[in-house]
Amino acid sequence: MTPAGPAQQIRGYLDHLAVEKGASAHTLSAYRRDLEKYRGFLAGVGVDDLTGVTESHVEEFRAQLATTDPESGRRALAPSSVARTLAAVRGLHRFATRDGITALDAAAAVTPPRPARRLPKALPVDQIIAVIEATGGTEVDVEPARLRDRAMLELLYASGARAAELVGLDVDDVDGLDHPDGGAVALRGKGGKERVVPVGRPACEALNAYLVRARPALAVSGGPALFLNARGGRISRQTLWSVVSTSAARAGVDAEISPHSFRHSFATHLLDGGADIRVVQELLGHSSVTTTQVYTLVTVETLREVWAECHPRAL
């Protein structure tokens, strides 16, 4: 039997990620692009099957990613992009070895570059509130889209949801909106893992206003999606990004801001308020507290800035 080529082996790996690992469509798309780049590299060096790949090949591919080639017009990737691409390649070879396609894992010893540590950027509370209020979704005669936008931003900040988690919500995922102590939202995170996060009164009121006064006007069919676009379909992440940037501009917030800024602010403000890091970990849906600890660095940096400005012997 003729061994399967890299293209077929890559398809098998992506199917494994989708079916057995529950990888999101966004993750699969990124891995597909990265592995297609890897397949092209292998073809260029005369390798037509993963069994023929050596550690030297993977090292050469890693070096190529980080190198600019004026002749071909290829630009060097940032360390973070090289690391992401190598993660896909390492995953492919690990899968091929475990599945018996190859005897040895050619990528096991090839380590990705360590990207410079970037602290997440949290906005001050007053700026977050200003961006939310800039949607204008509180007036009696406001158009449905503005009520929807207000509800989305309130929920982003109230729950710390990722953009994909928010746009993937169904109506049945929110509960207790009329409860005096607030409600809750069920978020489905990476790998399909679900967590329930409490939601405060401002978000509950915005969601109630949207569900009663706006969603019926946007709904074209009986679909389950919570947040709808003008055509009655599920809202996209691109639209959510647009809502955030438009509201920030209206609020006069010049800082770089995205839906993830609300998640960063959610975590940082909780820790600033004295929340236990393990609780914040659960609310964010992090599988490891190590991931959450980056937010403690943000609060330490804030303390250092205040100390440097106020302490008489700081400088």
mmCIF file of all heavy atoms in Angstrom, residues 232-255:
data_model
loop_
_atom_site.group_PDB
_atom_site.id
_atom_site.type_symbol
_atom_site.label_atom_id
_atom_site.label_comp_id
_atom_site.label_asym_id
_atom_site.label_seq_id
_atom_site.Cartn_x
_atom_site.Cartn_y
_atom_site.Cartn_z
ATOM 1 N N GLY A 232 -31.132 38.485 11.487
ATOM 2 C CA GLY A 232 -31.734 37.464 12.336
ATOM 3 C C GLY A 232 -30.850 36.286 12.628
ATOM 4 O O GLY A 232 -31.274 35.347 13.302
ATOM 5 N N GLY A 233 -29.601 36.310 12.121
ATOM 6 C CA GLY A 233 -28.676 35.221 12.394
ATOM 7 C C GLY A 233 -27.824 35.504 13.618
ATOM 8 O O GLY A 233 -27.864 36.605 14.183
ATOM 9 N N ARG A 234 -27.060 34.512 14.020
ATOM 10 C CA ARG A 234 -26.166 34.672 15.170
ATOM 11 C C ARG A 234 -25.127 35.739 14.859
ATOM 12 O O ARG A 234 -24.539 35.760 13.783
ATOM 13 C CB ARG A 234 -25.484 33.343 15.500
ATOM 14 C CG ARG A 234 -24.661 33.374 16.787
ATOM 15 C CD ARG A 234 -23.993 32.024 17.046
ATOM 16 N NE ARG A 234 -24.950 30.955 17.264
ATOM 17 C CZ ARG A 234 -25.513 30.669 18.431
ATOM 18 N NH1 ARG A 234 -25.194 31.397 19.497
ATOM 19 N NH2 ARG A 234 -26.375 29.672 18.544
ATOM 20 N N ILE A 235 -24.867 36.598 15.809
ATOM 21 C CA ILE A 235 -23.906 37.675 15.611
ATOM 22 C C ILE A 235 -22.503 37.093 15.494
ATOM 23 O O ILE A 235 -22.190 36.047 16.059
ATOM 24 C CB ILE A 235 -23.988 38.703 16.759
ATOM 25 C CG1 ILE A 235 -23.414 40.048 16.312
ATOM 26 C CG2 ILE A 235 -23.298 38.192 18.011
ATOM 27 C CD1 ILE A 235 -23.813 41.188 17.217
ATOM 28 N N SER A 236 -21.638 37.748 14.737
ATOM 29 C CA SER A 236 -20.282 37.262 14.519
ATOM 30 C C SER A 236 -19.301 37.944 15.466
ATOM 31 O O SER A 236 -19.586 38.995 16.040
ATOM 32 C CB SER A 236 -19.847 37.523 13.078
ATOM 33 O OG SER A 236 -19.727 38.927 12.852
ATOM 34 N N ARG A 237 -18.121 37.348 15.594
ATOM 35 C CA ARG A 237 -17.080 37.965 16.414
ATOM 36 C C ARG A 237 -16.634 39.295 15.806
ATOM 37 O O ARG A 237 -16.274 40.226 16.524
ATOM 38 C CB ARG A 237 -15.883 37.022 16.547
ATOM 39 C CG ARG A 237 -16.179 35.805 17.416
ATOM 40 C CD ARG A 237 -14.921 35.046 17.772
ATOM 41 N NE ARG A 237 -14.165 34.683 16.569
ATOM 42 C CZ ARG A 237 -12.866 34.411 16.566
ATOM 43 N NH1 ARG A 237 -12.178 34.486 17.682
ATOM 44 N NH2 ARG A 237 -12.255 34.048 15.464
ATOM 45 N N GLN A 238 -16.653 39.365 14.457
ATOM 46 C CA GLN A 238 -16.259 40.606 13.802
ATOM 47 C C GLN A 238 -17.200 41.744 14.171
ATOM 48 O O GLN A 238 -16.767 42.882 14.403
ATOM 49 C CB GLN A 238 -16.230 40.409 12.281
ATOM 50 C CG GLN A 238 -15.107 39.530 11.768
ATOM 51 C CD GLN A 238 -15.354 38.043 11.998
ATOM 52 O OE1 GLN A 238 -16.468 37.636 12.321
ATOM 53 N NE2 GLN A 238 -14.319 37.234 11.841
ATOM 54 N N THR A 239 -18.498 41.443 14.241
ATOM 55 C CA THR A 239 -19.472 42.469 14.633
ATOM 56 C C THR A 239 -19.251 42.885 16.077
ATOM 57 O O THR A 239 -19.336 44.069 16.417
ATOM 58 C CB THR A 239 -20.908 41.945 14.446
ATOM 59 O OG1 THR A 239 -21.113 41.624 13.066
ATOM 60 C CG2 THR A 239 -21.932 42.990 14.860
ATOM 61 N N LEU A 240 -18.960 41.933 16.943
ATOM 62 C CA LEU A 240 -18.683 42.253 18.338
ATOM 63 C C LEU A 240 -17.475 43.181 18.441
ATOM 64 O O LEU A 240 -17.500 44.158 19.196
ATOM 65 C CB LEU A 240 -18.450 40.966 19.138
ATOM 66 C CG LEU A 240 -18.078 41.145 20.622
ATOM 67 C CD1 LEU A 240 -19.160 41.906 21.375
ATOM 68 C CD2 LEU A 240 -17.825 39.779 21.266
ATOM 69 N N TRP A 241 -16.422 42.882 17.700
ATOM 70 C CA TRP A 241 -15.242 43.757 17.683
ATOM 71 C C TRP A 241 -15.635 45.167 17.247
ATOM 72 O O TRP A 241 -15.185 46.168 17.813
ATOM 73 C CB TRP A 241 -14.190 43.200 16.725
ATOM 74 C CG TRP A 241 -13.219 42.261 17.354
ATOM 75 C CD1 TRP A 241 -13.457 40.968 17.721
ATOM 76 C CD2 TRP A 241 -11.863 42.537 17.710
ATOM 77 N NE1 TRP A 241 -12.319 40.412 18.263
ATOM 78 C CE2 TRP A 241 -11.319 41.349 18.263
ATOM 79 C CE3 TRP A 241 -11.042 43.652 17.588
ATOM 80 C CZ2 TRP A 241 -10.010 41.260 18.714
ATOM 81 C CZ3 TRP A 241 -9.729 43.560 18.030
ATOM 82 C CH2 TRP A 241 -9.230 42.379 18.589
ATOM 83 N N SER A 242 -16.472 45.245 16.202
ATOM 84 C CA SER A 242 -16.899 46.549 15.687
ATOM 85 C C SER A 242 -17.690 47.319 16.733
ATOM 86 O O SER A 242 -17.520 48.534 16.888
ATOM 87 C CB SER A 242 -17.748 46.351 14.423
ATOM 88 O OG SER A 242 -18.230 47.578 13.943
ATOM 89 N N VAL A 243 -18.558 46.635 17.464
ATOM 90 C CA VAL A 243 -19.351 47.276 18.515
ATOM 91 C C VAL A 243 -18.430 47.848 19.590
ATOM 92 O O VAL A 243 -18.602 48.985 20.045
ATOM 93 C CB VAL A 243 -20.344 46.274 19.136
ATOM 94 C CG1 VAL A 243 -20.974 46.841 20.406
ATOM 95 C CG2 VAL A 243 -21.431 45.909 18.125
ATOM 96 N N VAL A 244 -17.425 47.081 19.993
ATOM 97 C CA VAL A 244 -16.491 47.536 21.031
ATOM 98 C C VAL A 244 -15.718 48.757 20.561
ATOM 99 O O VAL A 244 -15.608 49.761 21.277
ATOM 100 C CB VAL A 244 -15.532 46.397 21.428
ATOM 101 C CG1 VAL A 244 -14.404 46.929 22.316
ATOM 102 C CG2 VAL A 244 -16.283 45.293 22.155
ATOM 103 N N SER A 245 -15.160 48.702 19.350
ATOM 104 C CA SER A 245 -14.338 49.817 18.864
ATOM 105 C C SER A 245 -15.179 51.066 18.632
ATOM 106 O O SER A 245 -14.744 52.185 18.936
ATOM 107 C CB SER A 245 -13.608 49.420 17.575
ATOM 108 O OG SER A 245 -14.519 49.045 16.563
ATOM 109 N N THR A 246 -16.399 50.893 18.122
ATOM 110 C CA THR A 246 -17.282 52.042 17.894
ATOM 111 C C THR A 246 -17.675 52.696 19.211
ATOM 112 O O THR A 246 -17.669 53.925 19.340
ATOM 113 C CB THR A 246 -18.548 51.602 17.130
ATOM 114 O OG1 THR A 246 -18.169 51.052 15.866
ATOM 115 C CG2 THR A 246 -19.477 52.780 16.897
ATOM 116 N N SER A 247 -17.999 51.876 20.201
ATOM 117 C CA SER A 247 -18.394 52.413 21.506
ATOM 118 C C SER A 247 -17.215 53.108 22.190
ATOM 119 O O SER A 247 -17.386 54.134 22.849
ATOM 120 C CB SER A 247 -18.936 51.292 22.394
ATOM 121 O OG SER A 247 -20.100 50.721 21.824
ATOM 122 N N ALA A 248 -16.012 52.551 22.028
ATOM 123 C CA ALA A 248 -14.829 53.176 22.612
ATOM 124 C C ALA A 248 -14.585 54.546 21.989
ATOM 125 O O ALA A 248 -14.244 55.507 22.685
ATOM 126 C CB ALA A 248 -13.615 52.277 22.425
ATOM 127 N N ALA A 249 -14.771 54.633 20.666
ATOM 128 C CA ALA A 249 -14.588 55.924 19.988
ATOM 129 C C ALA A 249 -15.617 56.934 20.476
ATOM 130 O O ALA A 249 -15.287 58.109 20.705
ATOM 131 C CB ALA A 249 -14.697 55.725 18.478
ATOM 132 N N ARG A 250 -16.865 56.497 20.635
ATOM 133 C CA ARG A 250 -17.911 57.397 21.138
ATOM 134 C C ARG A 250 -17.586 57.879 22.554
ATOM 135 O O ARG A 250 -17.875 59.010 22.908
ATOM 136 C CB ARG A 250 -19.266 56.672 21.164
ATOM 137 C CG ARG A 250 -19.919 56.460 19.816
ATOM 138 C CD ARG A 250 -21.391 56.115 20.020
ATOM 139 N NE ARG A 250 -22.001 55.634 18.796
ATOM 140 C CZ ARG A 250 -22.466 54.413 18.613
ATOM 141 N NH1 ARG A 250 -22.397 53.527 19.597
ATOM 142 N NH2 ARG A 250 -23.007 54.055 17.474
ATOM 143 N N ALA A 251 -16.987 56.996 23.340
ATOM 144 C CA ALA A 251 -16.677 57.331 24.738
ATOM 145 C C ALA A 251 -15.403 58.155 24.863
ATOM 146 O O ALA A 251 -15.073 58.624 25.959
ATOM 147 C CB ALA A 251 -16.548 56.049 25.563
ATOM 148 N N GLY A 252 -14.681 58.310 23.761
ATOM 149 C CA GLY A 252 -13.431 59.064 23.804
ATOM 150 C C GLY A 252 -12.296 58.312 24.467
ATOM 151 O O GLY A 252 -11.346 58.914 24.970
ATOM 152 N N VAL A 253 -12.381 56.975 24.455
ATOM 153 C CA VAL A 253 -11.325 56.144 25.038
ATOM 154 C C VAL A 253 -10.289 55.860 23.960
ATOM 155 O O VAL A 253 -10.581 55.190 22.970
ATOM 156 C CB VAL A 253 -11.899 54.823 25.595
ATOM 157 C CG1 VAL A 253 -10.776 53.904 26.068
ATOM 158 C CG2 VAL A 253 -12.867 55.113 26.737
ATOM 159 N N ASP A 254 -9.092 56.384 24.145
ATOM 160 C CA ASP A 254 -8.049 56.259 23.129
ATOM 161 C C ASP A 254 -7.238 54.981 23.253
ATOM 162 O O ASP A 254 -6.501 54.635 22.329
ATOM 163 C CB ASP A 254 -7.085 57.454 23.215
ATOM 164 C CG ASP A 254 -7.792 58.778 22.894
ATOM 165 O OD1 ASP A 254 -8.729 58.749 22.074
ATOM 166 O OD2 ASP A 254 -7.404 59.810 23.468
ATOM 167 N N ALA A 255 -7.339 54.298 24.368
ATOM 168 C CA ALA A 255 -6.557 53.073 24.578
ATOM 169 C C ALA A 255 -6.963 52.011 23.569
ATOM 170 O O ALA A 255 -8.110 51.962 23.103
ATOM 171 C CB ALA A 255 -6.777 52.555 25.995
#
